[in-house]
Amino acid sequence: MKNVTMCRNMRYNPEAWSEYLEEGCYPYALNLLVNEFFLVGDLIGKRCNEYTSDEDLIRILKEELRKIFDFEVEEIETEYVTKEGETKIYLQREEHTGYYHLLRQDEDGMWSHKYPRELPTRQDSIGQNIEDPDTMVEAPFKGWCFLLRRRTS
């Protein structure tokens, strides 16, 4: 990746992404400003797609977040309130197709996400604000919430 800027501020600001329309949900969830699309595992040579098992998808996501971005990764409850230096992301997976999508929790506690060639949004597919990704009105899905914090050693 060229010209990578990982922002610390997880403030919701869709206009800031107008120059990064090609990227999808994964770099957006990390607040990573790159104008390219990549999937979980691409950065460590283990691309995850709709056929990847849930267990492998989660394992590879955690591995990539540790190796590439130097995060400690912990699975948590969605209701967990983050502390200074912590970030929450949510991995959502459709039960029937295997399609997966990532969301992030912004500083104000609301959730947002991004599709390629679109600006970020805080709304689900029927236009409701996402206050809790576990209760989104989408296709039947399962989800996992992860806490990210910079490793200290």
Side-chain angles (χ1 to χ4, degrees), residues 78-79 90 109-111 129-137 141:
T78 311
E79 299 82 24
Y90 188 88
M110 293 294 292
W111 291 85
N129 282 342
I130 305 167
E131 295 179 25
D132 180 353
D134 284 332
T135 61
M136 286 175 66
V137 181
F141 71 90

Side-chain angles (χ1 to χ4, degrees), residues 10 29 76-82 86-90 103-106 109 111 145-148:
M10 297 294 271
I76 58 168
E77 296 296 319
T78 311
E79 299 82 24
Y80 174 86
V81 178
T82 58
E86 297 179 335
T87 300
K88 272 190 335 194
I89 63 171
Y90 188 88
L103 299 93
R104 73 176 200 202
Q105 188 176 47
D106 297 314
W111 291 85
C145 193
F146 298 98
L147 179 68
L148 311 179

Side-chain angles (χ1 to χ4, degrees), residues 1-7 10 13-39 42-43 69 99 101-102 104 112-121:
M1 280 187 298
K2 299 175 185 172
N3 302 324
V4 174
T5 304
M6 188 169 226
C7 297
M10 297 294 271
N13 182 4
E15 294 75 29
W17 297 86
S18 62
E19 295 181 33
Y20 302 96
L21 289 179
E22 289 306 311
E23 71 180 48
C25 64
Y26 185 31
Y28 177 75
L30 300 177
N31 215 27
L32 185 65
L33 298 173
V34 296
N35 203 17
E36 59 185 89
F37 178 84
F38 57 89
L39 296 174
D42 278 351
L43 303 178
F69 302 107
Y99 170 82
H101 189 62
L102 287 149
R104 73 176 200 202
S112 61
H113 62 119
K114 182 182 181 316
Y115 293 109
R117 292 171 292 290
E118 294 181 17
L119 291 174
T121 183

